[in-house]
Amino acid sequence: MIIIINEWPPVDRFRNTVLAGVLVRTHEPDVTLMSTIIEAFAKQTKRLFHDGVYVRDTLYKFVPLACVVDSVARPIIQNRLQYNGYYGCSWCYHPGKTVGRTVKYPIDM
């Protein structure tokens, strides 16, 4: 997780980023682990949104805007099927079709 203060000018905003968290695993994360991490993140985020943090007499409130994950973690974060299953597309509810031995998401026109 990376924290960027959106209210600062772009030059300062991207020079002053904070690395807030990284999850490194040797195998894909399970739902229990990700649920634990997301619940803790949501709890802290709610507190930082409601209470905020004062920096140099300025109150900053935190709101998560984006989440950067790889294709293996994305369906776990979204609470969806894995990317290689039917209806597993992260961006839509396309059913997918079996092509050879894999599931693909062809565009139907």
Side-chain angles (χ1 to χ4, degrees):
M1 288 179 260
I2 299 171
I3 296 173
I4 298 171
I5 298 176
N6 196 50
E7 286 77 20
W8 286 357
V11 173
D12 295 332
R13 184 184 315 162
F14 297 110
R15 282 189 189 155
N16 298 294
T17 60
V18 176
L19 181 62
V22 174
L23 175 64
V24 179
R25 306 271 302 181
T26 56
H27 54 281
E28 83 182 56
D30 61 353
V31 174
T32 306
L33 173 65
M34 294 305 290
S35 293
T36 304
I37 292 170
I38 291 170
E39 286 173 16
F41 176 75
K43 183 179 177 182
Q44 290 294 321
T45 302
K46 286 177 186 176
R47 185 181 66 77
L48 289 170
F49 175 74
H50 290 294
D51 300 341
V53 174
Y54 279 97
V55 177
R56 298 183 190 156
D57 298 327
T58 302
L59 177 64
Y60 290 98
K61 294 193 173 197
F62 290 77
V63 178
L65 297 177
C67 179
V68 180
V69 295
D70 65 357
S71 60
V72 176
R74 187 181 306 118
I76 296 171
I77 296 285
Q78 294 176 328
N79 195 24
R80 296 190 59 164
L81 292 173
Q82 191 171 351
Y83 56 90
N84 58 356
Y86 291 104
Y87 297 96
C89 177
S90 294
W91 312 111
C92 67
Y93 289 99
H94 193 281
K97 294 180 181 176
T98 303
V99 178
R101 296 184 335 198
T102 62
V103 176
K104 303 286 184 186
Y105 301 98
I107 297 173
D108 292 334
M109 295 187 166

